[in-house]
Amino acid sequence: MTDLETYGFWADIDPVGVLSHQQIELNAAQLAEFWRRCSLSADFWSRYTALFVAVPAPPGHLRRTAIEQVLAYLLNELFENCAKFSDAPIDTIRYNAWVREEQFIFQITNHISSERHQGFARFIQELLACDPEEEYF
């Protein structure tokens, strides 16, 4: 498949107010072969990102440890599913994250064959339609 598809809401990132921009390229075949790399990558980036959260947390905000745990879970699922569904000639997964004062923005890019596209798209749509708190627990 050569067409680019975006799932979820996406807009170009205005660099004003960005505290950090993180990026890494991962090899989908290596992630699939060494499954533990998905959780190691997710744990590293969630911990790094959570360090931007104030301690103590302002009223109405999650604590740093809670944000780290939620991010670790979400990123691990994203990395695992990218590894699972990537099977096109290009096996690069790109992870980008932007941190703002009150916002985290994530972009995960991978390449999949047209035969597997429908299953992957269905999974992403289910993930986007679910209640994140309910899905987490």
Side-chain angles (χ1 to χ4, degrees):
M1 173 172 234
T2 58
D3 297 332
L4 177 66
E5 291 191 40
T6 301
Y7 297 97
F9 172 78
W10 186 255
D12 289 334
I13 305 298
D14 181 357
V16 175
V18 171
L19 302 174
S20 175
H21 174 217
Q22 309 150 23
Q23 60 186 356
I24 188 171
E25 287 189 2
L26 305 165
N27 181 291
Q30 290 177 358
L31 287 178
E33 183 177 350
F34 304 101
W35 205 246
R36 178 83 174 115
R37 290 183 183 178
C38 293
S39 64
L40 289 172
S41 299
D43 289 346
F44 174 80
W45 288 112
S46 65
R47 182 169 288 166
Y48 181 87
T49 303
L51 289 174
F52 289 93
V53 176
V55 175
H61 288 74
L62 291 174
R63 293 182 334 272
R64 178 185 286 174
T65 54
I67 288 176
E68 182 181 327
Q69 292 168 352
V70 169
L71 289 177
Y73 173 80
L74 293 174
L75 291 176
N76 186 60
E77 289 299 314
L78 288 170
F79 290 150
E80 285 181 353
N81 281 290
C82 282
K84 183 172 25 174
F85 286 103
S86 291
D87 64 354
I90 302 170
D91 62 358
T92 302
I93 296 171
R94 286 186 181 86
Y95 164 79
N96 280 279
W98 294 264
V99 177
R100 293 181 175 212
E101 191 71 35
E102 295 279 326
Q103 184 181 43
F104 298 133
I105 304 165
F106 298 98
Q107 178 187 40
I108 308 283
T109 305
N110 74 325
H111 302 85
I112 62 173
S113 68
S114 56
E115 298 81 33
R116 299 189 75 193
H117 173 260
Q118 191 173 35
F120 180 73
R122 188 172 33 255
F123 171 77
I124 294 296
Q125 294 300 334
E126 288 173 12
L127 187 60
L128 291 171
C130 77
D131 175 354
E133 276 189 45
E134 187 176 307
E135 191 69 19
Y136 177 72
F137 292 107

